[in-house]
């Protein structure tokens, strides 16, 4: 395993309640954006001009903090780099020339540091001529430049494996850390990173599903337990995702073979209740289509429903994004053209995406961008409001009602431990009270029953690697958590 420690921060801290507005300002397209206030969208201006790539983040109140994107969608000055703009639409100090590519559909994403509310990671997929797509990281410190932010580290190479233009992120099951997901070019291999207070761990590799070698969109469900990607060769793949371990499993193929270049899927999105999946195509000769899949169906692929067909040749549906208002917004593009017209100055909106079929109320080209235009892209915004997976083995950092400090009820010795560790507790364990031990990735490494007839258990840790481990016990509707160190 490769571990990249971009910055070192203390491991343990108290989690505050999750904010509500970090995804409320969207920056994209040709100098445009949307701000949601009380779930009502209004159009705003911006400084980028990007074919696909953009990312933006707001504060807890929904006010813009900063955004990242190119300045030239035509492929000239901004094709191989992007800028970071502050809330006043000024380039941050050291915020120029981040390695990107205007045509990478999900080439940028912003993740808050798990340990504080000041620092942010910007992850960019950058294009290296004659080589391919690589993953880079930059760091924003919002305490600098009078509170408008400054780039303190830039273009740190994280992965030199050739990637496709897909990248998404989801909170770890502990509600604090993050999983960042990429995909290797022309393979079936996913590339995963764990973003924790100690830095960025990875890459971790997992091969599952079909070969991916094209552009598209990859997103998590709102609950974080599903992962889907589309590509321009007709693939739609739906997976289960374990937020504790990062494991991807149970692939379902929803695409349309044969997987060839004239069978193009691009955007995708989940309804807010995660029961329905939406996808769209971008065909070269018109007839772009928006589809719906029923994820509660016994045969998900057979549930595919056509919602709308656009017969305007040369105009394509782009990326999808679920808004804070519960509606799904879809970009419309005339490709690389410079025209401003009745299609690309609008977004398509699915107004009631939790409803089956025509009841989802799709409204093509209905959200006016006030004279500005979009291309294929919308900002790559993860679900910042996803909390801990309550009750899971990795739910170690969430303060819940009836949770008690383990040190008030437990004594562990020796701690740090080598070989074995003894736990003494001053309560009576009910039948089948289980102690779960798991590592800092949230993966369970041992589960043992606590004996009810005595208040002591000796745990063998000879097979544990050196490091920090966490334990959790639930007994009589109370939860006990703590940590131990192993120095084998």
């Amino acid at each position: 395993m490769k571990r990249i420690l971009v910055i070192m921060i203390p491991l343990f801290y108290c989690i505050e309640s999750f904010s509500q507005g970090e995804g409320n300002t969207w920056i994209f397209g040709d100098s445009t954006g949307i701000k949601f206030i009380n779930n009502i969208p209004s159009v705003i201006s911006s400084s980028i001009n990007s074919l696909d790539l953009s990312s933006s983040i707001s504060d807890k109140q929904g006010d813009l903090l900063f955004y990242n994107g190119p300045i030239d969608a035509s492929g000239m000055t901004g094709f191989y780099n992007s800028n970071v703009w502050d809330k006043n639409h000024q380039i941050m100090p050291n915020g120029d020339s981040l390695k990107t590519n205007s045509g990478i559909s999900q080439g940028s994403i912003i993740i808050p540091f798990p340990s504080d509310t000041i620092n942010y990671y910007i992850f960019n997929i950058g294009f290296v001529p004659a080589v391919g797509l690589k993953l880079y990281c930059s760091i924003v410190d919002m305490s600098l430049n009078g509170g408008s932010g400054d780039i303190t580290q830039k273009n740190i190479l994280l992965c030199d494996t050739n990637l496709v233009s897909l990248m998404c992120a989801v909170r770890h099951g502990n509600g604090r850390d993050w999983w960042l997901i990429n995909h290797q070019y022309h393979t079936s291999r996913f590339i995963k990173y764990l973003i924790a207070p100690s830095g960025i761990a990875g890459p971790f590799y997992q091969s599952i599903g079909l070969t991916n070698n094209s552009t598209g969109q990859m997103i998590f469900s709102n609950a974080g337990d599903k992962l889907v990607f589309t590509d321009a060769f007709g693939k739609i793949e739906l997976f289960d995702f374990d937020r504790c371990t990062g494991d991807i499993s149970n692939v379902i193929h929803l695409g349309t073979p044969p997987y060839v270049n004239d069978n193009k899927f691009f955007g995708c999105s989940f309804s807010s209740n995660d029961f329905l999946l939406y996808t769209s195509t971008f065909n070269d000769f018109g007839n772009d289509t928006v589809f719906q899949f029923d994820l509660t169906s016994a045969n998900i692929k057979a549930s595919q429903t056509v919602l709308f067909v656009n017969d305007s040749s040369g105009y394509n549906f782009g990326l999808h994004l679920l808004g804070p208002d519960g509606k799904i917004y879809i970009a419309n593009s005339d490709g690389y053209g410079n025209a401003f017209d009745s299609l690309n100055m609008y977004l398509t909106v699915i107004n009631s995406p939790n409803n089956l079929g025509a009841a989802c109320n799709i409204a093509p080209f209905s959200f006016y961008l006030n004279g500005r235009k979009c291309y294929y892209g919308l900002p790559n915004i993860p679900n910042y409001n996803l909390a801990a997976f309550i009750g899971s083995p990795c739910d170690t950092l969430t303060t819940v009602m009836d949770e008690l400090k383990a040190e008030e009820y437990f004594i562990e010795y020796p701690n740090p431990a080598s070989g074995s560790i003894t736990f003494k507790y001053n309560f009576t364990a009910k039948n089948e009270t289980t102690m779960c031990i798991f590592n800092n990735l949230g993966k369970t490494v041992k589960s043992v029953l606590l004996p009810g007839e005595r208040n002591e258990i000796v745990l063998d840790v000879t097979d544990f690697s050196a490091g920090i481990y966490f334990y959790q016990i639930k007994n009589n509707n109370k939860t006990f958590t703590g940590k131990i160190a192993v120095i084998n």
Side-chain angles (χ1 to χ4, degrees):
M1 180 186 76
K2 180 181 180 183
R3 178 174 293 271
I4 303 169
L5 297 180
V6 177
I7 189 167
M8 296 300 296
I9 315 166
L11 180 61
F12 299 103
Y13 70 105
C14 295
I15 286 187
E16 58 182 314
S17 60
F18 288 102
S19 60
Q20 298 298 313
E22 290 168 303
N24 281 19
T25 305
W26 301 358
I27 304 297
F28 60 95
D30 187 351
S31 66
T32 191
I34 299 174
K35 181 174 182 178
F36 291 85
I37 302 176
N38 297 323
N39 290 335
I40 298 175
S42 60
V43 177
I44 61 175
S45 62
S46 68
S47 296
I48 72 171
N49 186 13
S50 179
L51 188 68
D52 286 328
L53 177 147
S54 68
S55 59
S56 54
I57 191 167
S58 304
D59 61 18
K60 297 176 184 180
Q61 289 71 45
D63 295 322
L64 181 66
L65 287 177
F66 62 92
Y67 57 97
N68 177 39
I71 59 175
D72 186 354
S74 68
M76 299 299 290
T77 60
F79 196 68
Y80 297 136
N81 58 71
S82 68
N83 296 332
V84 180
W85 281 270
D86 64 21
K87 60 185 177 182
N88 299 312
H89 308 288
Q90 302 298 311
I91 297 177
M92 281 187 182
N94 202 32
D96 64 314
S97 302
L98 271 67
K99 294 182 182 298
T100 56
N101 182 313
S102 179
I104 300 175
S105 59
Q106 290 181 287
S108 179
I109 197 167
I110 300 168
I111 301 297
F113 271 37
S115 55
D116 62 58
T117 59
I118 299 299
N119 294 283
Y120 295 82
Y121 293 109
I122 302 176
F123 295 97
N124 275 2
I125 298 176
F127 177 69
V128 180
V131 177
L133 302 181
K134 312 298 181 183
L135 181 63
Y136 298 88
C137 176
S138 301
I139 295 175
V140 176
D141 186 338
M142 291 301 298
S143 69
L144 303 177
N145 193 28
S148 294
D150 194 341
I151 305 294
T152 58
Q153 298 185 57
K154 184 169 67 176
N155 293 333
I156 304 165
L157 180 63
L158 294 185
C159 182
D160 59 4
T161 299
N162 195 7
L163 305 173
V164 295
S165 60
L166 304 177
M167 178 166 56
C168 60
V170 67
R171 281 195 187 272
H172 189 283
N174 62 23
R176 179 197 65 187
D177 304 335
W178 288 83
W179 292 105
L180 179 73
I181 309 295
N182 299 121
H183 201 286
Q184 187 174 351
Y185 177 76
H186 205 59
T187 73
S188 62
R189 177 184 281 184
F190 286 88
I191 304 174
K192 300 176 281 190
Y193 295 86
L194 178 65
I195 305 166
S198 57
I200 304 171
F204 308 102
Y205 298 99
Q206 182 181 353
S207 293
I208 185 173
L210 299 172
T211 296
N212 191 318
N213 55 5
S214 181
T215 188
Q217 187 168 10
M218 180 167 63
I219 60 169
F220 283 100
S221 62
N222 300 287
D225 60 346
K226 299 288 184 182
L227 177 68
V228 68
F229 81 73
T230 61
D231 82 352
F233 287 83
K235 301 182 190 73
I236 306 171
E237 292 197 300
L238 178 68
F239 305 87
D240 289 338
F241 186 80
D242 189 324
R243 290 172 57 200
C244 291
T245 65
D247 187 57
I248 301 169
S249 61
N250 300 328
V251 60
I252 301 175
H253 301 287
L254 302 177
T256 308
Y259 299 116
V260 294
N261 193 34
D262 59 354
N263 189 12
K264 300 180 177 181
F265 287 103
F266 193 56
C268 58
S269 54
F270 288 92
S271 60
S272 60
N273 63 9
D274 286 336
F275 291 168
L276 299 172
L277 172 67
Y278 295 86
T279 64
S280 59
T281 61
F282 73 120
N283 298 310
D284 294 332
F285 304 103
N287 295 319
D288 276 20
T289 305
V290 180
F291 299 96
Q292 181 192 78
F293 293 88
D294 182 1
L295 301 183
T296 69
S297 171
N299 188 336
I300 297 174
K301 186 171 183 177
S303 74
Q304 183 188 68
T305 301
V306 174
L307 300 177
F308 175 75
V309 179
N310 175 27
D311 58 4
S312 299
S313 179
Y315 287 83
N316 305 125
F317 291 122
L319 299 185
H320 298 198
L321 188 56
L322 177 68
D325 57 357
K327 300 178 181 180
I328 292 172
Y329 294 79
I330 303 175
N332 309 302
S333 178
D334 63 343
Y336 295 84
N338 295 317
F340 287 72
D341 55 41
S342 60
L343 297 184
N344 65 18
M345 289 193 295
Y346 292 81
L347 299 179
T348 291
V349 182
I350 303 175
N351 288 287
S352 304
N354 289 342
N355 295 338
L356 278 169
C360 74
N361 188 17
I362 186 171
F365 319 113
S366 60
F367 185 85
Y368 183 50
L369 295 173
N370 289 354
R372 297 178 175 87
K373 70 172 181 176
C374 59
Y375 297 98
Y376 294 109
L378 290 172
N380 193 5
I381 296 179
N383 183 1
Y384 292 112
N385 299 316
L386 185 59
F389 183 18
I390 302 300
S392 73
C394 63
D395 175 23
T396 62
L397 304 171
T398 305
T399 301
V400 296
M401 189 176 298
D402 291 331
E403 180 168 308
L404 304 174
K405 292 182 179 179
E407 57 262 34
E408 297 176 8
Y409 294 83
F410 275 77
I411 299 174
E412 321 105 4
Y413 62 93
N415 192 8
S418 177
S420 66
I421 183 169
T422 299
F423 293 85
K424 286 191 173 183
Y425 45 96
N426 62 0
F427 62 83
T428 301
K430 66 179 183 180
N431 290 337
E432 297 184 356
T433 295
T434 302
M435 170 188 282
C436 292
I437 311 288
F438 41 95
N439 62 22
N440 63 353
L441 295 182
K443 182 177 182 179
T444 300
V445 295
K446 183 166 289 191
S447 296
V448 294
L449 289 176
L450 296 184
E453 68 277 8
R454 65 182 190 277
N455 298 101
E456 178 179 306
I457 186 172
V458 178
L459 184 68
D460 182 4
V461 295
T462 55
D463 58 342
F464 284 29
S465 300
I468 299 295
Y469 293 82
F470 307 89
Y471 63 85
Q472 183 182 76
I473 305 100
K474 292 190 175 183
N475 183 69
N476 293 324
N477 297 319
K478 291 180 170 57
T479 300
F480 307 86
T481 62
K483 65 178 183 289
I484 59 174
V486 175
I487 56 174
N488 286 341

